[in-house]
Amino acid sequence: MTDQSERSLRERLDEVVLGLACEAEVAQIEALCARDPSIARQLERSRLRFLALDETADVEAVPAGLWARISSALDAVDDGASPRTDAQDSPADQSAQILPLRPKPSVRHWRLGALGGLAASLLLAIALGWSLLGTPQPTVVAVLLDSDGQPVALVEGAPDNTTLITMLEAARVPQDRVMQVWTKPDDLGVPVSLGLLAAARSRSLSVSGLPRPRADQLYEITFEPLGGSPTNLPTGPILAKGFAKAPIR
Amino acid sequence: MDAEGGRMLGVARRMLRRSDLAEDAVQDSFVLIWRKAHQFDATRGQAKAWLYTILRNRCLTLLRSADRETALDPSQRETASEEAMLDIAYNRLERANDLRVCLETLEPEKRMAILSSYILGYSHGEIAGRMGAPLGTVKAWVRRGLLVLRECLG
């Protein structure tokens, strides 16, 4: 590492991006990035220059079992258990040093940053959502967070207001209550019911007569009496809520 | 968007050359993405670049880990097919793509060294072994190649 002071920073960043830097060097660069946002931006620029090469890879058929394995691995993470069951391989944490990050993020982090949860879930939605659910591409996607900032449900709204709700964790529905899904097609208007979720399970809801969903539209789930809210407006406690995003095509 | 998962698998397979390991890498990456998502800063980077960075890092860890044994040893791989993979990748870059335009200006050995590291996950030593060139020469190729690319890409 003696000659590194003489090497240009940009060259070092490029070598990290190519994958040629050793672990110690990667750690140093990560530390520099953490301290200096301008260096982090340079690293990002370098990554973007080479990203086109990733897009030259074949799009392989994803084996049916893989998404299921990923889902259960994510469940294991949420439960605080090991993300992997086959112990022969190194744990996923091993590569944590590559990013400027603490290796043991926990549920606490989710609670600390609702925004982070959103980013996480959006990514998951982007990466997992459509393939897991096998539905046409939605117009909007919203990740509903609870008051701790934990993602609870993924909402995908189709242009005809068919709404697919994927529960990301088992909701504790109080006895003699059901979950009711709401949206606000008009920011200034009242919430409109999209339907009930009797069981804490993922399902698709259909409602007609609503405008096509749009970005920034509010979605929320409340606990309501059996049969749904008597007033046709949310009356119960909010389980989770979130604003829609229009996925990038 | 199934394509993104499929593409990720393709990237991992190119680097790891085994579909079971590629699947593991994609799975591990999603766990990492899930865990680290709170650190993703949309103002600082593109989600896609972030996703692929995590994936490539995971593949590199698998490639460089001591227990990879012979299954991943580059000397066991077929050189011809690897060159073909690099050619395919290079040719798939659109002609108008800035990176392609700039890679075209490089001498073939510099281009090859850079593509081998990014696409196949080769270390300097592996590139040297594959190309039958001294390590110091390969390092110089990479550095000079990167310099030209940076200047070309602005």
Side-chain angles (χ1 to χ4, degrees), chain A residues 14 54 57 84 93 98 120 124, chain B residues 7 28 34-35 37 57 150:
Chain A
D14 278 350
D54 290 319
R84 312 239 348 185
D93 258 2
I98 293 167
L124 264 192
Chain B
R7 181 83 77 198
D28 291 347
W34 183 245
R35 287 181 164 191
N57 285 342
R150 281 197 303 275

Side-chain angles (χ1 to χ4, degrees), chain A residues 32-119:
Chain A
L32 284 175
C33 289
R35 272 205 304 273
D36 186 342
S38 72
I39 297 179
R41 275 195 299 274
Q42 280 188 52
L43 180 65
E44 180 66 15
R45 266 204 301 278
S46 178
R47 280 179 179 148
L48 290 175
R49 282 192 207 116
F50 288 97
L51 183 64
L53 283 173
D54 290 319
E55 287 161 1
T56 63
D58 287 330
V59 176
E60 304 215 355
V62 179
L66 181 58
W67 291 125
R69 287 210 327 260
I70 290 172
S71 288
S72 51
L74 294 181
D75 285 347
V77 174
D78 280 348
D79 293 343
S82 160
R84 312 239 348 185
T85 44
D86 47 338
Q88 73 196 30
D89 243 302
S90 45
D93 258 2
Q94 189 173 324
S95 54
Q97 71 260 23
I98 293 167
L99 295 159
L101 314 165
R102 304 241 307 271
K104 283 219 177 295
S106 64
V107 171
R108 219 164 0 129
H109 283 90
W110 287 103
R111 298 203 167 125
L112 284 176
L115 201 64
L118 256 181

Side-chain angles (χ1 to χ4, degrees), chain A residues 24 33 157 185 210 213 218 234:
Chain A
C33 289
L210 292 183
L218 173 79

Side-chain angles (χ1 to χ4, degrees), chain A residues 173 177-182 196-197 220-225 229 233-240:
Chain A
V173 186
R177 286 285 183 276
V178 290
M179 290 186 284
Q180 189 158 6
V181 186
W182 307 87
L196 303 178
L197 297 175
E220 67 178 14
I221 300 176
T222 59
F223 293 126
E224 300 293 341
S229 162
L233 285 173
T235 60
I238 297 170
L239 168 65

